[in-house]
Amino acid sequence: MARRLTRQLTTGNGQLTLNICHLYPDLMDTYGDKGNIITLVKRCQWRGINVRVSNIGVGQSLDFSAKGGPASGWDLYFFGGGQDRQQQIVGQDLQKKAEDIKCAIENGTVLLSICGGYQLLQNHFKTLDGKMIKGIGLFNANTVGSTTRMIQGLLIELNPELKNQILSIYPDTRYQIPDTRLVGFENHSGKTYLESETQPLGSVLKGSGNNGKDGTEGAVYKNAFGCYLHGSLLPKNPHFADYLIAKALERRYGIVNLKPLNDFLEWQAHQSAIKQTNHQS
Ligand code: GLN
């Protein structure tokens, strides 16, 4: 009760609207990644920011203006995880949406993808039984199915450039982000290898990350992020949720100063998830 009151007192980003496109929510939500959408929606609402979520599936067009939205399209795409079989269906349909998505990312739109979604945004994913699923090459990386299931808590240190950007999202200097690391739960057998210049999202402190060997986790291209962090990721990593919201609003409205929220419970969840990874911090 007291917590909700604090939330209301921190509103003040009214008259802004965040337009979210949830890609393939029916086929790509085996691992509860929808919690990320709920977090984005709630964190906007707590600040008085309007949110609109559109579910786009197989055979549906990404033409946002045709659905009554602004011609400049969605502000944030979300693409969750799924299993190999669903990835084959989605992978084919995604080819028809590739140009729109890539063009949006070139123009600064934000995208968060997890696991199966992340794999389909790469050049290709070769499954363990040898099927080649073509990706859209947004991230210059490839995934190969393996016999090892990487299933455990995953803790990462953000890449330094991103870490600096995240530290600057709250202009109120009295508010300090307690921890910039990201924590989640990975569950994949695909091993991802980043090509030469591709930037990782971060480096692995605990868990396997992209492939369990090179210490990298995820990928970044402009404001598009891919990772293996299920969990869901955003409920217990409020700094990253706010970074995505701030970046997504920036394209439409210019720099938006987000008011800090009372994230006591979120940071407790973050700490508790880190504890479960057995990382000695
Ligand atoms: N099929 C993929 C893998 O196991 C993706 C799994 C997922 O999205 N969690 O590598």
Side-chain angles (χ1 to χ4, degrees):
M1 186 62 203
R3 181 169 181 267
R4 181 53 54 89
L5 187 64
T6 315
R7 299 247 190 229
Q8 284 170 2
L9 291 173
T10 58
T11 58
N13 293 116
Q15 294 180 340
L16 306 177
T17 302
L18 182 77
N19 301 285
I20 300 176
C21 174
H22 190 172
L23 288 164
Y24 309 101
D26 49 345
L27 293 169
M28 300 292 283
D29 190 35
T30 328
Y31 301 87
D33 292 320
K34 194 172 177 215
N36 294 305
I37 297 279
I38 297 169
T39 296
L40 293 168
V41 169
K42 294 314 279 183
R43 296 185 74 78
C44 283
Q45 288 174 345
W46 285 327
R47 296 179 164 108
I49 299 170
N50 305 313
V51 200
R52 187 171 157 154
V53 182
S54 304
N55 295 332
I56 297 291
V58 170
Q60 288 182 298
S61 151
L62 279 175
D63 184 356
F64 187 53
S65 51
K67 293 176 182 66
S72 51
W74 279 283
D75 306 304
L76 195 154
Y77 286 100
F78 177 74
F79 195 2
Q83 287 157 342
D84 293 13
R85 206 170 62 83
Q86 280 80 18
Q87 283 180 278
Q88 281 176 48
I89 303 164
V90 170
Q92 278 187 10
D93 186 79
L94 194 64
Q95 296 304 321
K96 298 177 202 138
K97 298 179 170 58
E99 217 180 293
D100 283 340
I101 294 174
K102 285 162 97 170
C103 177
I105 300 304
E106 289 305 323
N107 289 321
T109 302
V110 170
L111 179 149
L112 174 64
S113 58
I114 319 275
C115 204
Y118 166 44
Q119 294 170 349
L120 292 177
L121 295 173
Q122 300 165 19
N123 302 325
H124 67 248
F125 167 36
K126 191 175 178 194
T127 65
L128 190 58
D129 55 9
K131 287 192 190 75
M132 189 63 101
I133 305 178
K134 194 170 172 248
I136 66 166
L138 176 67
F139 300 118
N140 190 9
N142 295 296
T143 296
V144 190
S146 78
T147 48
T148 322
R149 188 128 207 112
M150 291 158 273
I151 175 164
Q152 63 224 325
L154 174 58
L155 176 66
I156 69 162
E157 187 74 72
L158 283 171
N159 89 40
E161 199 183 319
L162 195 57
K163 187 170 161 176
N164 279 338
Q165 287 191 39
I166 284 183
L167 282 169
S168 67
I169 47 174
Y170 306 108
D172 185 342
T173 48
R174 287 166 300 178
Y175 181 78
Q176 302 260 309
I177 297 173
D179 186 0
T180 54
R181 295 174 298 177
L182 297 183
V183 64
F185 191 85
E186 62 183 326
N187 183 356
H188 56 113
S189 55
K191 294 189 171 177
T192 296
Y193 297 92
L194 305 179
E195 298 297 331
S196 52
E197 79 296 354
T198 307
Q199 288 300 308
L201 178 67
S203 52
V204 175
L205 296 171
K206 205 76 192 180
S208 295
N210 277 332
N211 52 56
K213 276 223 166 85
D214 65 15
T216 66
E217 157 58 3
V220 180
Y221 177 69
K222 298 202 172 214
N223 290 330
F225 305 93
C227 65
Y228 279 109
L229 294 150
H230 291 293
S232 307
L233 169 66
L234 298 181
K236 52 183 169 297
N237 293 280
H239 53 317
F240 195 51
D242 279 356
Y243 177 72
L244 298 177
I245 293 170
K247 275 280 154 196
L249 291 171
E250 189 179 314
R251 186 183 63 103
R252 196 179 293 285
Y253 302 103
I255 290 176
V256 171
N257 291 332
L258 290 183
K259 305 251 177 201
L261 299 173
N262 175 357
D263 284 328
F264 180 73
L265 288 179
E266 285 79 355
W267 287 113
Q268 269 197 334
H270 181 90
Q271 264 314 110
S272 154
I274 291 179
K275 220 167 162 186
Q276 284 169 40
T277 69
N278 291 321
H279 181 69
Q280 311 296 328
S281 44

